[in-house]
Every structure is written in C-alpha cells, then in structure tokens.
Amino acid sequence: MKQLFIISLLLIASTHVITAADAVAGKNKAAMCVACHGADGNSFNPEWPSLAEQNASYLSKQITDFRSGNRKNAQMSPMAAALSDQDIVDIAAFFSSQKLKDGATKEQYLNLGSKIYSSGLPGIMACSGCHGPTGAGLEAAGFPHIAGQQIQYVINQLNNFKNNSRTNDATGMMKSIATAMNDEQIEAVANYLSGLH
C-alpha cells in the first residue's frame, strides 16, 4: 500500500515538470496571441502591448498572473486560463526572442519625459533605477523591458496602477510611483519610452 502511494505521488509530480523554455514550440503556442500582439511581438494597436524583446521572466509572471486572477483583463484572463506552465514559459521565450521595432519620441515630450525617466522628480523615483538607462529592464529582478512600448498602453497601465485596478507589482512600487504622477507626467513618460532604445 505504501509503495502504491509513493508511485502515485511520483506520477502526479511528473505531470507538473517544466522542461527548459522552447521558443520554437512557443511560436506555435503563441498562434492565438498574434491577433493582438503581432506575429513578431510588435503590436499594431496602441492599446495592446508589444511583447517583442520583453524579458521572459516578466512575461511568464504576467501570463501566470492573468491565469490566477492576480492581474485581471477581460481579454487576457480567459486566454491565459487554458495555458499550462510549460506553455507559458515557451510563449514567453518566443516573444522575448523577437526584435522590437524602434519608435520615436515627439519633441514636445522629450524634456519632461527624459527628466522623469533618467533622474526623476521630487516624489517621483527615476524609471531608469529599475528599468535601466536604455529601458531594457532587469530580467533577474523581474523588471520589464519598457523601451519602445506602445504609448497608450503605458498610459493605461500607469493609470491602472494609480487607480488600483492593477495590483500585481512587487511591493506596490509602481502604484506609489504612478500615484505621485499627474496626467502630463504620465503622458510625457509614455511618449518618451516610445523612442527610447
């Protein structure tokens, strides 16, 4: 009886083993993602994020959070619900391996956006402290790649952190930063990020 119990546990455990991330398998699994995020991870809709070059660990966390309900979105939550842990790491590996298209920053947003991003303002921490000088993020810490991101998507996410409709940031860091920003500052940073690379 004891041996049967141990064998049963081993069989159950073996069904949850995640192998190394496979970007090739991820491309096939991402077929449902491309309608919004683009076949190469470059979204054509300003409301939806570009996923190309995004840090794989960050992407995995976000998809997992959509699946668990820690992050909510009417489109993403049902999509993520059907994904296994292996599907998630494979899809993340695929999108992180894609090339992000360069954007541009309009001149009217350059000064304020650059100041907030690079050195911050009183009460507003510099974005570069976590996301790096080029906006590539910090994979080991789970900080996302934000350079070249869709402007409206960034505005929406900063406002979501600000109004508490998005709460899956580590230690509430993004909430505290976004809460300290006014609409002009949010718009300037979002536009600045578009051209950062």
Side-chain angles (χ1 to χ4, degrees), residues 80-128:
L83 299 174
S84 69
D85 290 347
Q86 186 68 54
D87 293 338
I88 290 171
V89 297
D90 290 346
I91 290 169
F94 166 68
F95 281 120
S96 71
S97 70
Q98 300 305 296
K99 177 77 176 132
L100 183 67
K101 293 178 181 172
D102 290 340
T105 302
K106 293 178 185 171
E107 193 171 341
Q108 70 194 81
Y109 299 109
L110 195 55
N111 288 339
L112 180 58
S114 174
K115 184 167 183 56
I116 295 168
Y117 187 86
S118 302
S119 53
L121 293 173
I124 302 172
M125 198 168 105
C127 310
S128 61

Side-chain angles (χ1 to χ4, degrees), residues 8 32-33 37 58 60 72 76 80 99 114 116 133 160 180 189:
S8 296
M32 65 181 180
C33 310
H37 300 290
Y58 177 79
S60 292
K72 294 174 177 40
M76 279 302 304
K99 177 77 176 132
S114 174
I116 295 168
N160 287 345
V189 167

Side-chain angles (χ1 to χ4, degrees), residues 43-66:
S43 173
F44 52 86
N45 185 316
E47 299 277 338
W48 301 327
S50 289
L51 304 181
E53 291 186 42
Q54 185 54 266
N55 296 327
S57 61
Y58 177 79
L59 273 180
S60 292
K61 180 192 183 307
Q62 297 311 306
I63 299 169
T64 301
D65 283 356
F66 282 125

